[in-house]
Amino acid sequence: EVQLVESGGALVQPGRSLRLSCAASGFTFDDNSMHWVRQAPGKGLEWVSRISWNGGNIAYADSVKGRFTISRDNAKNSLYLQMNSLRAEDTAFYYCAKDVSLGLGIDYWGQGTLVTVSS
Amino acid sequence: QTVVTQEPSLTVSPGGTVTLTCASSTGAVTSGYYPNWLQQKLGQAPRALIYSASKRHSWTPARFSGSLLGGKAALTLSGVQPEDEAEYYCLLYDGTSWVFGGGTKLTVL
């Protein structure tokens, strides 16, 4: 059974940093690209970032480019999102999601972790 | 950046059929946009339904079907069930990144 478990969400002040983690199991982690998607409370989904199986191909949404860094550790079956210079508008549930094979989209989702940016 | 547009809300009767659409600001949606459809119920994580325009995941009920229709991606629900009431999102690949639509709130009434 595929499982994606996010952690690291917290209340942080504007301008500070936070690192999210996603522990993956139930599939061959290093066979798949992975995504981060976020959702502000009561709002729609926003794609944040994607990393290829070996980290060699990375993409970001314009809203986070230059502030967020996606990475992965295939030996630990883990995905990460380093978030710097956080803003109030980054407040959201952050979901880890698995790419469908061959980069055709997203299939499995985690349950999300909440990041609140507030002073 | 690409803007993806969906109907804000739709209403359908139980047992009926409804089609949700997904348009791109860059032009006609083609298979190269790899359209995905996801369902999200209140308080839950999203659940994937369709990928690559028309492919169902193993858990997707047969009453959900995806297609390309008139330059848009489309999700058709046939024989709608009360439990299909949810928010539905489309997701498109614009060549470098992925973009979600704003979502369609489907009411079954």
Side-chain angles (χ1 to χ4, degrees):
Chain A
E1 178 196 4
V2 172
Q3 285 199 322
L4 300 169
V5 180
E6 303 91 339
S7 61
L11 170 63
V12 293
Q13 294 179 326
R16 303 298 292 264
S17 298
L18 196 64
R19 188 197 200 203
L20 304 183
S21 299
C22 171
S25 60
F27 65 101
T28 305
F29 185 69
D30 54 12
D31 272 355
N32 293 93
S33 295
M34 297 292 294
H35 301 257
W36 285 103
V37 175
R38 68 183 181 183
Q39 186 171 36
K43 302 296 185 183
L45 298 171
E46 180 186 13
W47 178 84
V48 172
S49 184
R50 170 192 171 272
I51 185 169
S52 62
W53 68 276
N54 64 353
N57 192 322
I58 288 174
Y60 297 99
D62 288 346
S63 58
V64 307
K65 205 171 291 184
R67 300 188 299 123
F68 289 12
T69 301
I70 191 172
S71 63
R72 64 190 295 160
D73 185 337
N74 288 343
K76 294 183 178 179
N77 285 356
S78 293
L79 175 72
Y80 306 102
L81 186 68
Q82 177 66 42
M83 304 185 293
N84 298 333
S85 302
L86 282 162
R87 306 167 180 166
E89 54 265 37
D90 296 318
T91 294
F93 285 93
Y94 283 75
Y95 295 100
C96 163
K98 174 184 164 295
D99 200 73
V100 177
S101 296
L102 304 178
L104 300 179
I106 292 176
D107 49 15
Y108 292 92
W109 293 71
Q111 286 303 303
T113 188
L114 178 61
V115 173
T116 304
V117 184
S118 175
S119 53
Chain B
Q1 191 170 8
T2 303
V3 176
V4 178
T5 302
Q6 300 180 242
E7 298 87 358
S9 63
L10 292 169
T11 299
V12 61
S13 300
T17 296
V18 65
T19 296
L20 291 65
T21 67
C22 173
S24 170
S25 62
T26 59
V29 176
T30 64
S31 59
Y33 284 75
Y34 306 124
N36 280 234
W37 289 94
L38 302 100
Q39 178 193 66
Q40 188 177 34
K41 296 184 179 179
L42 202 61
Q44 296 183 16
R47 183 177 76 133
L49 295 173
I50 299 287
Y51 68 100
S52 197
S54 60
K55 294 178 169 55
R56 293 187 194 90
H57 293 284
S58 59
W59 53 83
T60 303
R63 63 181 182 273
F64 293 88
S65 62
S67 64
L68 296 174
L69 199 64
K72 298 180 183 181
L75 175 70
T76 299
L77 286 72
S78 305
V80 172
Q81 303 295 307
E83 61 265 30
D84 297 333
E85 184 162 292
E87 192 86 22
Y88 290 85
Y89 293 93
C90 72
L91 173 63
L92 300 181
Y93 180 64
D94 72 359
T96 55
S97 61
W98 292 85
V99 185
F100 281 98
T104 295
K105 181 175 173 53
L106 182 67
T107 300
V108 180
L109 202 56

